[in-house]
Amino acid sequence: MNSFRLVYRHILAETILLIAIFIQIISGIKLFLKKKKTVTGFFEKLQLWSGLYLSIFFVFHLAAIFMGRYFLNLDTNIYFGVAGLNTFPLNLFFIPYYGLAIFSFFGHISAIHYKKMKHPIFGLTPKKQSILILTFGIILNIVTFYGLTNKFKGIKIPEEYNLMIEKKTNQ
């Protein structure tokens, strides 16, 4: 991650990346508002709602990254992301927040795949392929949370990432 940051945190690359994300947010919300009353099938609804959630997720995610980087002076690495997953009551927000993001990402891909694919692959219809993509996303979601939580010997979070956790002291 440190090596790759030299590329994506370069002012030009970061600007292009942020513009692309803002375009995704705006176009996603516009498409949702335009199509919300005309969608009918499962995969159309999945594409619409997962796209809306990803737009909302991007807004919160960018705000959190910039807050962590510029106001909390933290390295916004994996520890920054998993600190909330392992802290009660913050995990009541972060588990569904990240879980729905992963599900929405794979749901969006599976819906677009269903819409665009016309032919079977390995004997699977486009609908079965899309269900397989969605199922893979659900399994990956479970495995990801299993690996990122301390209850299952996940990642040990350094002390500096516990800024928002109230410390109890003996009085």
Side-chain angles (χ1 to χ4, degrees):
M1 189 169 191
N2 289 333
S3 298
F4 191 54
R5 281 185 176 160
L6 296 174
V7 175
Y8 78 82
R9 280 206 180 159
H10 183 277
I11 188 71
L12 180 62
E14 194 169 50
T15 301
I16 292 168
L17 185 60
L18 286 172
I19 289 169
I21 291 171
F22 285 125
I23 289 170
Q24 289 294 310
I25 292 168
I26 292 165
S27 66
I29 292 170
K30 279 183 166 182
L31 282 170
F32 176 83
L33 293 172
K34 179 181 175 184
K35 295 186 175 194
K36 69 181 179 180
K37 293 182 181 177
T38 61
V39 295
T40 54
F42 171 77
F43 284 105
E44 282 184 314
K45 289 178 183 178
L46 180 62
Q47 182 181 3
L48 186 72
W49 288 99
S50 63
L52 178 65
Y53 184 79
L54 288 170
S55 293
I56 294 166
F57 175 82
F58 275 142
V59 171
F60 280 95
H61 189 69
L62 288 175
I65 293 298
F66 286 120
M67 184 181 80
R69 193 190 311 175
Y70 296 115
F71 296 108
L72 301 176
N73 295 316
L74 289 172
D75 184 3
T76 52
N77 56 22
I78 193 164
Y79 300 123
F80 183 74
V82 297
L85 289 175
N86 291 286
T87 307
F88 182 80
L90 297 176
N91 58 0
L92 297 176
F93 171 78
F94 284 108
I95 290 173
Y97 169 74
Y98 285 123
L100 283 171
I102 295 169
F103 176 80
S104 292
F105 175 78
F106 282 95
H108 208 64
I109 289 173
S110 72
I112 292 167
H113 182 83
Y114 178 75
K115 185 177 181 179
K116 299 291 183 182
M117 288 301 292
K118 303 294 180 211
H119 306 290
I121 298 176
F122 300 117
L124 297 173
T125 64
K127 183 176 183 178
K128 287 182 181 177
Q129 295 168 34
S130 297
I131 291 169
L132 193 62
I133 293 168
L134 190 57
T135 303
F136 175 76
I138 291 167
I139 292 168
L140 183 65
N141 217 344
I142 293 166
V143 169
T144 299
F145 281 108
Y146 181 81
L148 295 179
T149 57
N150 283 337
K151 291 180 182 177
F152 302 107
K153 307 286 188 239
I155 296 173
K156 176 147 177 50
I157 302 164
E159 190 65 33
E160 62 265 22
Y161 291 89
N162 293 332
L163 286 173
M164 303 182 75
I165 303 168
E166 181 181 340
K167 301 284 185 198
K168 295 186 178 183
T169 57
N170 293 336
Q171 296 183 5

